Amino acid sequence: MTTSLDKVLYTAQAHTTGGRDGQGRSSDGAIDVQLSPPGSGKAGTNPEQLFAVGYAACFIGAMKAVGPKVGVKVPDDVAIDSSVSLGPTNGGAAYGIAVKLAISLPGLDDAAKQKLVDAAHQVCPYSNATRGNIPVELTIA
């Protein structure tokens, strides 16, 4: 089931050429990256690395947004180590990704950490986009 936006708050725009051996640039020039396939040894980044950074940043933002609602202050030194794995699915007929987020919330007790992560996972746009589509593993440090 597709969920429509009630209201557009922001739209990111980018122009990409060449696929995994190409170039990507945001419309405002804030991102201008050389792309290269994973493990190729070529200079550049790849879509999986960009997704890993984007998901982690979005998830931290979601924790900051829900923190006051659930009565948990997000520590200033919150951090996420993210990994996005790429591999074949359906016996090699297609490719997919899997995500792992290792969430560090220093200074919070275990119950507060879990409450915050659970609430954030419900509102994070990346979590909502991936839920039921790919494996997403959340661990709390």
Side-chain angles (χ1 to χ4, degrees):
M1 181 171 101
T2 303
T3 303
S4 298
L5 299 177
D6 293 335
K7 175 181 174 183
V8 174
L9 299 176
Y10 172 75
T11 300
Q13 296 178 322
H15 180 76
T16 303
T17 58
R20 290 180 176 271
D21 279 310
Q23 182 77 22
R25 185 175 192 281
S26 62
S27 60
D28 63 1
I31 296 176
D32 191 351
V33 294
Q34 181 65 41
L35 301 168
S36 63
S40 69
K42 296 179 182 179
T45 189
N46 60 65
E48 292 73 31
Q49 290 170 323
L50 295 169
F51 195 89
V53 170
Y55 199 157
C58 188
F59 201 89
I60 290 172
M63 287 191 292
K64 289 180 177 181
V66 300
K69 295 174 184 170
V70 298
V72 179
K73 180 176 181 334
V74 177
D76 291 337
D77 52 353
V78 59
I80 296 179
D81 292 323
S82 55
S83 62
V84 174
S85 299
L86 171 69
T89 63
N90 299 320
Y95 285 88
I97 59 173
V99 174
K100 292 182 181 180
L101 301 181
I103 304 156
S104 174
L105 295 160
L108 296 181
D109 65 47
D110 289 345
K113 290 177 183 180
Q114 193 66 57
K115 184 182 206 180
L116 183 63
V117 168
D118 289 347
H121 194 42
Q122 293 307 305
V123 302
C124 174
Y126 277 68
S127 292
N128 288 327
T130 59
R131 187 172 289 110
N133 296 312
I134 65 168
V136 175
E137 180 183 319
L138 305 177
T139 58
I140 304 170

